[in-house]
Amino acid sequence: MLKKIFSFFMAIFAFFASLFGFGGNKNSKCYIYSDLKYGTEERQTLDLYVPKSAGGKSCGLALFIHGGAWISGDKSSFSKDTLKNICENMGVAAAAMNYRYISDSVSVHDIMDDIDSALKAIRVIGNEKDISINRVMLSGYSAGAHLSLLYGYSHITSAPMKIACIVSNCGPTDLADPQFYSANSSLASHDFIYDLMSKACGYRFNKSTFGKASAALAKASPLTYVTSSCPPTIITHGKNDTTVPYSNAVALDAALSAVGVKHDFISYPNSDHSLANDPDCQKKADELINNYVLAYLVK
């Protein structure tokens, strides 16, 4: 499990490094906030880069949410150099956030509050610099993609800024998908998956009581909240993914198509959860993300 977590953190780094590049600029064009507190809990922190050139204007935000099965991971998986280059080269604010890990007392619904609080804190920082940060692209890998989708779809009307678009890389969309719990899933061992999903949805169940958890699992699944009002979405997923079933991506693609939501689904035929074995697909994803940023964040 730890090896897989390390692998997709490396994939996160490579994905956005390839998209936005590196290169130091000692004379920063950004206001920089490291480990900015957006709540009272230890993990309620974020890193934020805001373009100085946006003073007196509105500005988009790219918010990255880390993976780690909701129980591990850190915002540092998104390099500060990457955030800086997004800010300087694209002219939008860029942030990576930590959130409370799920536990017996913290579910994914509580993490929705974390995302909400983080966005509010970012808006306050923008206002202090006479910058209206009023639209956001939510992006993440694995659990971070799930949180991006769940927040973006369920908080369309209540978020403190417009959900402009979402990027889901290998994100869980249906926590009740039987393939999560089958023998061919890398998570389905020693009752780990039942404990994990119990904490995620906030309802304790096991193999024998799985049927009673359907409502709680649905409430914690992005697929439940798909409507024609959902924001434009990019879905990337490896066909050989044994951590998050490929069927989750297929289901989301079908649901968005059924209600006419603008979206792009890139299937990686040779890749697992790391998305490492399809460079042509990765190039297409890079181009799509760049286009989404230009279309929905840069105005």
Side-chain angles (χ1 to χ4, degrees), residues 8 16 22 39 48 83 87 100 137 141 186 203 219 225:
F8 70 68
F16 289 105
F22 294 108
L48 173 66
L83 301 180
C87 180
R100 289 171 290 170
M137 175 184 79
Y141 260 87
S186 63
Y203 178 86
K219 188 177 179 182
Y225 301 91

Side-chain angles (χ1 to χ4, degrees), residues 244-291:
V244 178
Y246 181 70
S247 53
N248 268 221
V250 173
L252 180 59
D253 174 48
L256 293 174
S257 295
V259 295
V261 171
K262 160 68 177 171
H263 71 287
D264 292 274
F265 177 28
I266 305 177
S267 174
Y268 289 55
N270 305 303
S271 294
D272 58 14
H273 199 58
S274 69
L275 298 179
N277 298 326
D278 292 281
D280 290 342
C281 294
Q282 189 62 71
K283 182 179 179 181
K284 182 179 179 181
D286 293 347
E287 293 171 350
L288 266 175
I289 294 172
N290 186 69
N291 291 340

